[in-house]
Amino acid sequence: MQVILLHPRFNRAKSITLGAKHLVLMIAAFLLAVLLAAALLYYVTLRYAGSLPFLGAVATANTAAGVTDKDKYLKENLAAMAVKLGEMQAQIMRLDALGERVQGLAGVKPEEFNFKEAPGRGGAEPTSLDADHRPRDLTMIEFQQALAAMSRDIGYRTDYMNVVETVLMSDKIKSKLLPTNQPVNVSYNSSSFGWRVDPFTGRSAFHEGLDFPASVGTAIVAAAAGVVIAAEYHPQYGNMLDIDHGNDIITRYAHASRLFVKVGDIVQRGQHIADIGTTGRSTGPHLHFEVRIKGVAQDPRKFLNAGTDLAKIATLSGK
């Protein structure tokens, strides 16, 4: 590139030829001047920010803007964590109530598993100098992640406890519907389930129940909860009750002197349903008690002995 210079002092025009090298040097000099000016301005701003009102105002404004943004970020995160904490507290309250119900259904003593008190924890303070094991403060992100993980864990445990409660409740209902309660308060039976000599014919015959001897008027109670499906006089059984307990299980109470329930009545476990008598095919006052599953007679002792075992367990557990 050629530059022509004109001036009154010059006798004639002068020309200067600029090559690529000259242009590069000029650009470099310009950029260096800009950097020096910027550095000088930055130094003056930091050095005299207090004495020059304008510079002080600019610096204060920039600092205030940074602090404001940080405070806003912290407030937003704290508000979100407060909401999450409130949700977790509500979940824990529900979990405590659910735990107490499950505890009761499972027969666990309250003092053995108290949901209201935090479990004891402890341990020695870490002494390792390893950088990965030194104590340190949680960051905001780590704390948020811990809250989220704990919230998920509480949800999982609540779902699990609901399933456990459902199973325990189902088992408890089924146990109430099993004929495990002895229908008469006597210590022995006069005739067992199985083959025996018939008291009327003297021949070998199969006895489909248990005979409980007692005086006329002794109370007969339901061996389990259920619905009365028969309350009538039978030529063989005399005054007879049949109670349906569901799952194809029926109990029969025969030879009663009086019946206190009728067909369709819902009876509770241990409810007074009849009095002992000697009606029908009977040699004396007693209760003939049967348990039938799908119409087939079962040995009532299997159920009554199970009820005795459950009562012992409940007594030992304090329930």
Side-chain angles (χ1 to χ4, degrees):
M1 182 176 69
Q2 190 174 21
V3 179
I4 299 175
L5 299 176
L6 298 175
H7 195 273
R9 294 181 180 181
F10 299 154
N11 294 328
R12 58 178 180 175
K14 294 183 179 182
S15 63
I16 301 173
T17 302
L18 299 177
K21 182 178 180 180
H22 297 92
L23 291 175
V24 170
L25 290 175
M26 290 175 64
I27 293 172
F30 176 74
L31 293 176
L32 180 61
V34 172
L35 290 175
L36 289 174
L40 180 61
L41 180 60
Y42 181 72
Y43 172 77
V44 171
T45 301
L46 295 179
R47 179 69 177 80
Y48 300 102
S51 59
L52 298 177
F54 172 75
L55 295 177
V58 172
T60 303
N62 290 333
T63 304
V67 173
T68 302
D69 291 342
K70 185 177 181 180
D71 289 344
K72 183 179 179 181
Y73 172 77
L74 289 175
K75 287 180 179 179
E76 289 177 352
N77 281 276
L78 286 174
M81 287 190 292
V83 173
K84 178 64 69 175
L85 184 60
E87 294 174 354
M88 290 172 59
Q89 288 175 336
Q91 287 179 312
I92 289 175
M93 290 178 64
R94 290 195 296 267
L95 189 58
D96 285 344
L98 182 60
E100 290 181 354
R101 293 199 301 270
V102 172
Q103 171 186 291
L105 289 171
V108 179
K109 294 181 180 179
E111 60 270 17
E112 292 180 0
F113 203 85
N114 191 349
F115 286 90
K116 298 298 184 182
E117 295 181 1
R121 296 187 297 173
E125 184 176 358
T127 58
S128 175
L129 298 179
D130 185 0
D132 294 335
H133 297 89
R134 289 177 186 170
R136 61 180 179 83
D137 295 331
L138 287 175
T139 65
M140 181 68 73
I141 295 177
E142 289 174 335
F143 186 60
Q144 290 174 331
Q145 291 174 345
L147 273 180
M150 186 176 295
S151 179
R152 289 194 300 270
D153 288 343
I154 291 175
Y156 295 153
R157 282 160 175 74
T158 301
D159 293 341
Y160 175 75
M161 291 288 281
N162 278 319
V163 173
V164 173
E165 182 191 27
T166 301
V167 173
L168 288 174
M169 182 63 73
S170 177
D171 290 343
K172 187 170 184 179
I173 292 174
K174 288 179 181 179
S175 68
K176 286 184 176 294
L177 296 177
L178 290 177
T180 56
N181 186 56
Q182 186 161 308
V184 182
N185 187 20
V186 296
S187 57
Y188 72 100
N189 57 82
S190 57
S191 186
S192 299
F193 178 87
W195 290 96
R196 67 170 185 177
V197 176
D198 187 280
F200 288 94
T201 65
R203 300 173 62 186
S204 179
F206 193 85
H207 187 229
E208 295 185 335
L210 295 178
D211 288 343
F212 295 97
S215 58
V216 174
T218 301
I220 301 171
V221 300
V227 179
V228 178
I229 59 173
E232 59 192 17
Y233 182 85
H234 187 279
Q236 303 290 324
Y237 292 111
N239 292 324
M240 177 194 75
L241 282 175
D242 280 355
I243 299 177
D244 188 345
H245 305 286
N247 296 318
D248 297 317
I249 300 176
I250 293 174
T251 53
R252 176 167 293 172
Y253 310 80
H255 308 305
S257 59
R258 290 192 301 173
L259 305 178
F260 297 107
V261 292
K262 61 184 183 300
V263 174
D265 285 352
I266 298 175
V267 298
Q268 302 299 320
R269 183 186 186 87
Q271 179 179 333
H272 185 189
I273 55 174
D275 285 342
I276 279 184
T278 184
T279 58
R281 192 170 183 266
S282 170
T283 62
H286 72 284
L287 167 67
H288 174 81
F289 176 65
E290 293 182 7
V291 177
R292 293 181 175 269
I293 298 179
K294 294 184 178 181
V296 179
Q298 308 290 323
D299 188 349
R301 288 174 297 189
K302 294 188 298 185
F303 298 92
L304 299 181
N305 290 339
T308 302
D309 293 340
L310 290 175
K312 290 179 180 178
I313 293 172
T315 301
L316 292 174
S317 63
K319 297 300 288 182

